[in-house]
Amino acid sequence: MTASKNKVAHERTPTTGTQLGRREWLAYSAAFGAAFMGRQGLAGEAADSAPTAKVQAPPRRYDMKKSINLWAFPYPDQMSLKECFQLAKDAGFEGVEVNFNLEGELSAESSAGEIREIGELAQQVGIAISGLCSFLFWPYSLTHNDPERRAKGLELARQMIQAARLLGTDNLLVVPGAVYVPWLDDVEPVPNDVCDRRAKEAVRQLLPEAEKAGVHLNIENIFASGYLFSPQEMVDFVDSFDSPQVQVHFDTGNIMQYQFPEHWIPLLGKRIKNVHFKEYDKRTHEFNLHSFRPLLDGTTNWPAVMEALDQVGYRGYLTFEYFHPFAHHPESLIYQTADALDRMLGRKV
């Protein structure tokens, strides 16, 4: 009888110190993870089953280059283009990917001389223009149902080809089309076969100008568009042009909701001309632009990605793409990203 009473009293006695009861341990572990709980010095009956941290071997060193997209900077609201280039240079980046807009310093309004000056500014700072991309491929999609929008998209793409040439880069990111544009409410869906036909027609029209300018049309994979959803589809699309000027701009994050970048890379192989590194967190279980995270703050298997890129012989730029500059101390994101890339490239242990 005494033993039974003692047992009941023990079960009702609150836990003290760092020792957690089974129910508390399970509840906290579900919320934060058993490994996290262990690192806090908190133990419980289930603690023995918690995974232990593994000591990693020194990373391999990879011969690729660090780059960052201008969207990660508070440009033009808080920083000038020169300040962005200088910050990237100071943080250790070798390249900056710039964005072509409808209006502004680098846009459809810019003269050839003004665009050339941006390339010269980068040279003066000591940083390369790693590529050119644009959000304009969405509102002026090359596969839009409105023929006037498609025509405007082609006109803008031609301007982008010339802008890339003037900037001194041979990398132009191209979104060839979209079945669906989730972030624009006024764009109606395009049937898959129609989208495919229009996209191929558009790239064929752009190809002679790209070949003349020495600019690569790098086709980007974007699962949210409903087009070129698999690596096999991407390979078929790119190979259909039989031109070295049509290659792939591979984005690690754009397929992460349902797929894995390390599975795509071996299939795309030598077609990969440029790369976006976007971190993605599969734990969110839904897609929006906030699903993309700063590097290493997600679920991407970066060692596998790096090894896959190395195996296919990729030696180009790894460009961090992020759409949310830090509201406070924006330079912190730039330095954090540079440090993460250094570790991924094996430059830091």
Side-chain angles (χ1 to χ4, degrees):
M1 188 70 175
T2 302
S4 177
K5 287 182 178 180
N6 288 341
K7 180 179 179 182
V8 171
H10 174 73
E11 289 179 347
R12 292 178 179 175
T13 301
T15 56
T16 58
T18 60
Q19 184 70 27
L20 297 182
R22 178 177 176 78
R23 290 183 180 179
E24 289 174 295
W25 174 267
L26 291 176
Y28 282 123
S29 294
F32 298 103
F36 174 85
M37 294 293 290
R39 289 195 297 271
Q40 314 317 305
L42 299 172
E45 292 182 27
D48 291 340
S49 63
T52 57
K54 296 180 179 178
V55 178
Q56 294 184 348
R60 282 190 54 195
R61 188 175 178 92
Y62 294 97
D63 187 19
M64 302 169 206
K65 294 176 284 189
K66 292 165 53 180
S67 171
I68 188 168
N69 185 280
L70 200 60
W71 280 321
F73 298 76
Y75 167 80
D77 297 335
Q78 298 180 42
M79 289 185 178
S80 68
L81 199 54
K82 183 176 182 179
E83 288 172 328
C84 293
F85 287 168
Q86 190 63 59
L87 175 56
K89 172 69 174 178
D90 293 344
F93 286 95
E94 293 146 284
V96 173
E97 183 179 58
V98 293
N99 308 308
F100 189 90
N101 304 304
L102 272 183
E103 303 173 345
E105 203 166 1
L106 176 55
S107 72
E109 297 180 336
S110 303
S111 68
E114 290 169 333
I115 295 174
R116 189 179 287 109
E117 286 177 0
I118 294 174
E120 292 171 352
L121 175 62
Q123 289 180 355
Q124 292 169 12
V125 171
I127 198 163
I129 301 294
S130 60
L132 178 68
C133 71
S134 178
F135 184 78
L136 298 179
F137 281 111
W138 297 109
Y140 300 99
S141 170
L142 299 174
T143 59
H144 202 289
N145 282 333
D146 182 347
E148 292 186 4
R149 289 283 190 105
R150 294 202 303 275
K152 179 67 172 179
L154 273 173
E155 176 190 343
L156 289 168
R158 290 191 175 99
Q159 287 183 275
M160 292 178 207
I161 291 171
Q162 294 308 315
R165 178 183 64 83
L166 293 166
L167 289 167
T169 180
D170 66 342
N171 287 317
L172 173 62
L173 184 153
V174 174
V175 180
V179 169
Y180 173 57
V181 183
W183 32 79
L184 296 178
D185 295 332
D186 62 341
V187 178
E188 62 183 22
V190 179
N192 294 68
D193 58 335
V194 175
C195 178
D196 187 60
R197 185 182 73 250
R198 289 174 180 170
K200 289 177 178 176
E201 289 174 353
V203 173
R204 287 192 189 99
Q205 291 183 61
L206 295 172
L207 188 51
E209 192 160 351
E211 290 174 338
K212 183 178 179 180
V215 172
H216 289 89
L217 305 177
N218 298 327
I219 311 301
E220 187 180 31
N221 54 292
I222 303 174
F223 75 92
S225 69
Y227 184 49
L228 303 180
F229 196 73
S230 72
Q232 292 88 345
E233 290 174 288
M234 179 64 81
V235 166
D236 288 345
F237 183 87
V238 168
D239 288 357
S240 71
F241 301 100
D242 193 26
S243 169
Q245 297 307 120
V246 182
Q247 300 291 338
V248 173
H249 187 119
F250 181 63
D251 189 301
T252 63
N254 283 349
I255 55 170
M256 273 287 288
Q257 185 173 10
Y258 303 113
Q259 302 182 53
F260 301 87
E262 62 267 29
H263 297 167
W264 277 59
I265 294 167
L267 297 175
L268 298 179
K270 296 289 187 180
R271 300 171 185 84
I272 300 174
K273 182 65 172 56
N274 215 351
V275 172
H276 271 165
F277 266 20
K278 282 216 292 284
E279 181 66 270
Y280 189 89
D281 194 340
K282 283 181 177 286
R283 294 167 296 189
T284 59
H285 301 298
E286 64 176 284
F287 169 77
N288 60 63
L289 293 182
H290 292 280
S291 301
F292 298 119
R293 309 296 307 147
L295 289 181
L296 306 181
D297 183 27
T299 56
T300 308
N301 186 346
W302 290 114
V305 170
M306 296 299 298
E307 186 62 23
L309 285 169
D310 185 65
Q311 287 297 314
V312 299
Y314 184 74
R315 299 294 182 266
Y317 288 101
L318 306 177
T319 299
F320 174 63
E321 185 187 33
Y322 194 66
F323 311 104
H324 315 291
F326 285 1
H328 308 290
H329 305 290
E331 69 282 356
S332 176
L333 174 64
I334 312 307
Y335 281 99
Q336 286 179 27
T337 302
D339 181 79
L341 282 170
D342 277 341
R343 296 176 190 279
M344 294 156 72
L345 285 163
R347 299 179 183 180
K348 283 186 179 180
V349 179

